[in-house]
């Protein structure tokens, strides 16, 4: 009895060790940059969740007595032109940046998955229309669509999510359509069907593991892109309404006031740059892990 | 004949796309809350008038609407606007009613075009050698250095780099390079470099991958067996064949750079189209904003068309569609 149990456990373990996910993780772990990036990304998420509780000041609290003060124990990263505490501003910005970037990526992905599935599964005229729409979206940088959408929707968090997310669907739609087409006509699926596998089994065992890699990779590349777009909107003055803190606002402000107060730049720019790098390292590591042959 | 048909097809596609962009952005702007007359600055300066003399205020608003055709039905406005835009009759902006948009474009567009093209050229000139070196020194420290640097360039957006440059050259190394303005070569260095950094990374990575792939091909082995020396082998046989594939990344990179100019011009206070766009959008100056998007979109699409033609000319295996 005991032997039988341990054997079945062993086979489960072996199966897990041979699962595509496990092998992908093994490959991922070998990439030092990707692991370091993942560490920072996790830290970033934790700060995003607990940031408002550990922030020493509210982002609306202006210390008028210590405007333009350099880094000190009272104000860890210094204060800005209005007397806002830069450290607290960064902690809050992390949360808003994450909310907007994740929300926008989800919006893009949802629209993309719906349209991509629709185009790939129905084919014909619908496929053509969707693909023309994709071409249309790729003809212009989505940043311009985002600018126009901000004018229409306003400068809150939810409008930002829509303004950045809605124009970003085209890439996901194209990816998902191509995955659907390759799966639908793939030999592996055909073979499974010939063996009499039920539809859900085919979807779970054959389609999902082959699709999940490319989708995770494209999402991982999407998040840093949306972070950049969001900060870029602030640079042109179309980002989150001040006093809502955001990396873009801080960078724009630092750029304007840099000559006298360089610490306004060090910390926001540093955190932002490291974050973008980490997300890119993670995305790159995922790409290598899921697709060891291809990529660069 | 074939080229004529190809150009006609692509040109029609570009015109349709631009018409759709104009219509969509016009309708969105039309529906947006808070028009030009309600933006904070103007509204506050017009408030006393509205309080003292409502009739005069009303008349002013009507004149404003009449001047920009805002009293027409929406479909009429859109069609009229399309017609005016495609005949390059952009009219006047709302912010500077006495200045025609055309005259603003004439000064702003060349600046942005020079900025974007020189950064693309710089990225090609620097990125290709970097990629070649990384590819032939594959898996050595040189390769890792180049790959890591290009990752940095790709990850850090041009506006972050621009702000860091302003810090470095405005505070640390003063009087080495100017950090604001436009017109002389030194003033162009920092904007162009901060725009090019991301593209250098992309070009270098792409060149590296493409060259490694090419060097695995059979014809390289044949050439080596024939006794071709190492450098001619790499440069004449390898690089030449990898370059054609590289052209395909130039199109998307150019679009990416155009977005970058909008950011970089705002940070370095360059009076280009990007600066025009940001002031137009923040002031709800719709005619100017839509025209600027139209111009940038047209530039991007025409560049893409040119890239496709060059690709087909350089690589006869590619067929234009």
């Amino acid at each position: 009895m005991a032997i039988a149990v341990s054997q079945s456990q062993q086979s489960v373990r072996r199966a897990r060790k041979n699962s595509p996910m496990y092998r992908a993780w093994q490959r991922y772990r070998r990439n030092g940059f990707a692991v370091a990036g993942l560490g920072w990304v996790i830290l970033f998420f934790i700060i995003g969740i607990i940031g408002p509780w550990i922030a020493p000041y509210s982002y609306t609290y202006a210390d008028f007595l210590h405007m333009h003060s350099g880094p000190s124990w009272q104000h860890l990263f210094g204060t800005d032109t209005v007397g806002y505490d830069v450290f607290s501003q960064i902690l809050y910005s992390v949360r808003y940046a994450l909310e907007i970037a994740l929300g926008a990526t989800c919006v893009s992905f949802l629209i993309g998955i719906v349209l991509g599935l629709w185009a790939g599964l129905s084919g014909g005229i619908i496929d053509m229309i969707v693909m023309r729409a994709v071409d249309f979206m790729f003809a212009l940088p989505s940043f311009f669509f985002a600018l126009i959408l901000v004018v229409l929707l306003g400068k809150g968090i939810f409008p930002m999510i829509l303004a950045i997310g809605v124009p970003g669907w085209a890439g996901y739609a194209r990816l998902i359509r191509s995955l659907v087409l390759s799966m639908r006509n793939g030999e592996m699926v055909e073979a499974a069907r010939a063996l009499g596998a039920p539809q859900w089994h085919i979807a779970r065992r054959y389609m999902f593991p082959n699709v999940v890699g490319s989708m995770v990779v494209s999402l991982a590349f999407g998040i840093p892109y949306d972070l950049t777009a969001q900060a870029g909107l602030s640079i042109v003055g179309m980002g989150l309404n001040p006093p809502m803190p955001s990396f873009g606002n801080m960078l724009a402000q630092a750029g304007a006031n840099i000559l006298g107060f360089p610490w306004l730049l060090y910390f926001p720019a540093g955190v932002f740059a490291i974050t973008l790098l980490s997300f890119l390292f993670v995305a790159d590591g995922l790409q290598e892990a899921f697709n060891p042959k291809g990529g660069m | 004949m074939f080229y004529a048909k190809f150009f006609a097809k692509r040109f029609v596609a570009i015109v349709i796309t631009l018409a759709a962009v104009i219509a969509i952005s016009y309708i969105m702007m039309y529906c947006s809350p808070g028009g030009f007359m309600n933006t904070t600055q103007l509204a506050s300066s017009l408030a006393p008038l509205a309080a003292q003399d409502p009739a005069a205020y009303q008349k002013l608003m009507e004149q404003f609407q009449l001047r920009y055709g805002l009293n027409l039905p929406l479909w009429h406005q859109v069609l009229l606007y399309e017609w005016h835009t495609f005949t390059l009759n952009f009219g006047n902006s709302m912010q500077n009613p006495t200045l025609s948009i055309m005259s603003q474009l004439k000064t702003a567009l060349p600046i942005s075009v020079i900025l974007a093209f020189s950064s693309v050229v710089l990225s090609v000139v620097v990125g290709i050698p970097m990629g070649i070196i990384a590819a032939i020194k594959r898996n050595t420290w040189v390769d890792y250095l180049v790959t890591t640097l290009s990752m940095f360039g790709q990850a850090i957006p041009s506006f972050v780099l621009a702000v860091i440059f302003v810090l470095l050259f405005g505070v640390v190394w003063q009087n080495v390079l100017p950090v604001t303005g436009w017109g002389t070569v030194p003033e162009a260095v920092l904007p162009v470099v901060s725009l090019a950094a991301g593209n250098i990374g992309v070009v270098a990575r792409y060149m590296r991958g493409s060259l490694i792939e090419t060097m695995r091909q059979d014809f390289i082995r044949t050439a080596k067996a024939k006794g071709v020396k190492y450098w001619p082998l790499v440069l004449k046989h390898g690089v030449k064949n990898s370059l054609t594939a590289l052209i395909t990344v130039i199109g998307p990179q150019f679009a990416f750079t155009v977005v970058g100019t909008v950011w970089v011009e705002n940070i370095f206070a360059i009076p280009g189209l990007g600066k025009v766009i940001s002031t137009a959008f923040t002031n709800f100056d719709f005619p100017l904003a839509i025209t600027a998007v139209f111009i940038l979109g047209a530039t991007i699409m025409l560049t893409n068309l040119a890239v496709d033609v060059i690709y087909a000319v350089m690589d006869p295996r590619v067929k234009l569609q």
Side-chain angles (χ1 to χ4, degrees):
Chain A
M1 201 60 198
I3 292 168
V5 167
S6 78
Q7 261 176 355
S8 78
Q9 264 175 353
Q10 228 168 24
S11 73
V12 164
R13 199 166 297 144
R14 196 170 302 134
R16 217 169 267 158
K17 270 197 171 157
N18 280 324
S19 80
M21 281 311 221
Y22 186 81
R23 270 179 292 162
W25 167 241
Q26 287 295 320
R27 277 193 296 268
Y28 185 87
R29 237 176 31 179
R30 259 181 270 143
N31 186 339
F33 280 121
V35 174
L38 187 65
W40 179 267
V41 167
I42 291 172
L43 182 72
F44 199 71
F45 271 86
I46 293 172
I47 290 174
I49 295 165
I50 64 166
W53 283 291
I54 56 171
Y57 302 91
S58 157
Y59 70 81
T60 52
Y61 173 77
D63 191 347
F64 293 114
L65 297 176
H66 297 97
M67 285 188 278
H68 296 310
S69 66
S72 64
W73 283 114
Q74 200 183 352
H75 295 287
L76 217 48
F77 292 173
T79 58
D80 69 2
T81 24
V82 197
Y84 291 141
D85 181 56
V86 175
F87 181 61
S88 310
Q89 292 242 322
I90 289 180
L91 291 183
Y92 277 99
S93 321
V94 171
R95 157 169 283 204
Y96 294 137
L98 272 180
E99 276 176 7
I100 293 173
L102 291 182
T105 311
C106 282
V107 169
S108 311
F109 190 63
L110 279 180
I111 303 175
I113 212 166
V114 168
L115 289 178
L117 279 177
W118 197 30
L121 291 175
S122 40
I125 183 93
I126 291 169
D127 188 28
M128 206 198 79
I129 292 171
V130 172
M131 290 325 283
R132 284 294 86 75
V134 167
D135 288 344
F136 174 73
M137 296 305 291
F138 273 120
L140 270 187
S142 51
F143 184 75
F144 293 139
F145 290 109
L147 266 178
I148 296 167
L149 277 172
V150 171
V151 172
L152 177 67
L153 299 169
K155 295 175 173 178
I157 289 193
F158 192 63
M160 278 297 152
I161 291 178
L162 288 183
I164 298 169
V166 170
W169 61 271
Y172 297 110
R174 199 164 64 171
L175 171 75
I176 285 163
R177 173 182 172 272
S178 75
L179 288 176
V180 167
L181 290 186
S182 70
M183 283 289 121
R184 212 170 58 162
N185 310 325
E187 288 165 3
M188 182 177 55
V189 172
E190 204 178 313
R193 200 169 286 141
L195 286 170
Q199 191 64 44
W200 63 267
H201 183 81
I202 294 176
R204 199 175 68 87
R205 282 305 293 273
Y206 298 95
M207 288 189 176
F208 184 69
N210 280 294
V211 168
V212 71
S214 350
M215 290 209 290
V216 167
V217 169
S218 74
L219 281 176
F221 277 110
I223 293 171
Y225 179 82
D226 286 348
L227 278 173
T228 312
Q230 178 201 346
L233 282 173
S234 299
I235 295 289
V236 261
M238 298 300 279
L240 268 185
N241 246 344
M244 294 266 266
S246 74
F247 284 109
N249 286 345
M250 282 191 278
L251 286 174
Q253 202 204 2
N257 294 310
I258 209 160
L259 297 179
F261 324 106
W263 62 85
L264 288 182
L265 178 70
Y266 296 145
F267 301 107
V271 172
F272 191 60
I274 293 172
T275 305
L276 287 179
L277 261 179
S278 305
F279 271 108
L280 197 75
F281 284 147
V282 169
D284 223 57
L286 285 173
Q287 187 170 40
E288 246 168 59
F290 281 117
N291 186 10
K293 296 189 298 277
M296 302 251 158
Chain B
M1 186 53 221
F2 172 74
Y3 274 95
K5 204 178 156 197
F6 167 76
F7 270 114
K9 239 164 106 181
R10 281 291 295 267
F11 200 72
V12 170
I14 288 176
V15 170
I16 292 174
T17 311
L18 284 174
V21 167
I22 292 170
I24 291 174
S25 36
Y26 196 96
I27 293 170
M28 279 186 177
M29 299 249 175
Y30 181 86
C31 297
S32 67
F36 176 70
M37 280 307 210
N38 300 325
T39 51
T40 45
Q41 282 176 326
L42 258 178
S44 58
S45 60
L46 282 175
L49 181 68
Q52 282 168 7
D53 195 349
Y57 179 72
Q58 203 61 35
K59 207 172 161 206
L60 183 77
M61 294 306 262
E62 267 165 25
Q63 273 178 347
F64 174 75
Q65 291 198 328
L66 204 66
R67 185 185 160 96
Y68 291 99
L70 300 175
N71 49 350
L72 297 169
L74 179 60
W75 63 269
H76 195 168
Q77 285 186 36
V78 172
L79 287 185
L80 201 64
Y81 196 81
E82 296 266 4
W83 171 249
H84 283 164
T85 307
F86 278 106
T87 49
L88 302 185
N89 175 18
F90 301 124
N92 293 2
S93 81
M94 292 177 174
Q95 189 78 5
N96 299 310
T98 51
L99 203 64
S100 76
I101 292 182
M102 202 54 170
S103 68
Q104 277 177 283
L105 288 181
K106 265 184 192 152
T107 53
L109 183 63
I111 296 177
S112 298
V113 168
I114 290 171
L115 190 57
F117 272 102
S118 42
S119 96
V120 168
V121 169
L122 179 68
S123 66
V124 168
V125 168
V126 179
I128 289 179
M130 270 172 77
I132 295 172
I133 292 168
I136 56 182
K137 300 269 178 200
R138 201 180 168 198
N139 291 336
T140 63
W141 66 270
V142 184
D143 180 23
Y144 294 135
L145 183 72
V146 169
T147 324
T148 315
L149 274 182
S150 50
M151 281 280 271
F152 272 73
Q154 253 180 297
I156 296 174
S158 51
F159 54 83
V160 174
L161 209 58
V163 190
I164 292 172
F165 278 154
V166 173
L167 174 74
L168 286 180
F169 291 93
V171 180
V172 184
W173 303 309
Q174 283 176 359
N175 306 324
V176 177
L177 283 169
V179 291
T180 53
W182 182 262
T184 60
V185 173
E187 279 171 343
V189 171
L190 291 180
V192 168
V193 171
S194 52
L195 263 181
N199 290 348
I200 292 175
V202 174
V203 170
R205 279 184 84 172
Y206 204 86
M207 186 68 212
R208 173 181 177 272
S210 171
L211 186 56
I212 288 174
E213 201 52 45
T214 310
M215 295 305 278
R216 284 205 198 110
Q217 303 282 322
D218 288 342
F219 69 86
I220 294 287
R221 194 154 22 118
T222 312
K224 208 187 269 173
K226 234 169 49 174
V228 179
K229 294 232 164 47
Y230 182 71
W231 280 108
L233 181 77
V234 170
L235 293 177
K236 274 198 179 153
H237 297 252
V239 173
K240 210 171 159 191
N241 282 292
S242 320
L243 276 180
T244 45
L246 192 71
I247 294 172
T248 52
V249 291
I250 301 291
Q253 282 312 300
F254 182 72
F256 175 77
T257 311
V258 167
V259 174
T261 58
V262 177
W263 297 331
V264 167
E265 283 175 13
N266 271 286
I267 288 168
F268 289 109
I270 297 168
L273 203 53
K275 189 75 194 156
V276 169
I277 275 201
S278 76
T279 38
F281 270 102
T282 44
N283 289 318
F284 294 91
D285 191 346
F286 298 159
L288 189 56
I290 299 176
T291 308
V293 170
F294 167 79
I295 294 288
L296 288 184
T299 315
I300 289 171
M301 281 184 248
L302 291 175
T303 310
N304 276 333
L305 178 60
V307 165
D308 283 355
V309 171
I310 294 172
Y311 190 33
V313 169
M314 279 187 63
D315 191 344
R317 288 170 302 182
V318 176
K319 284 220 173 77
L320 290 171
Q321 288 181 350

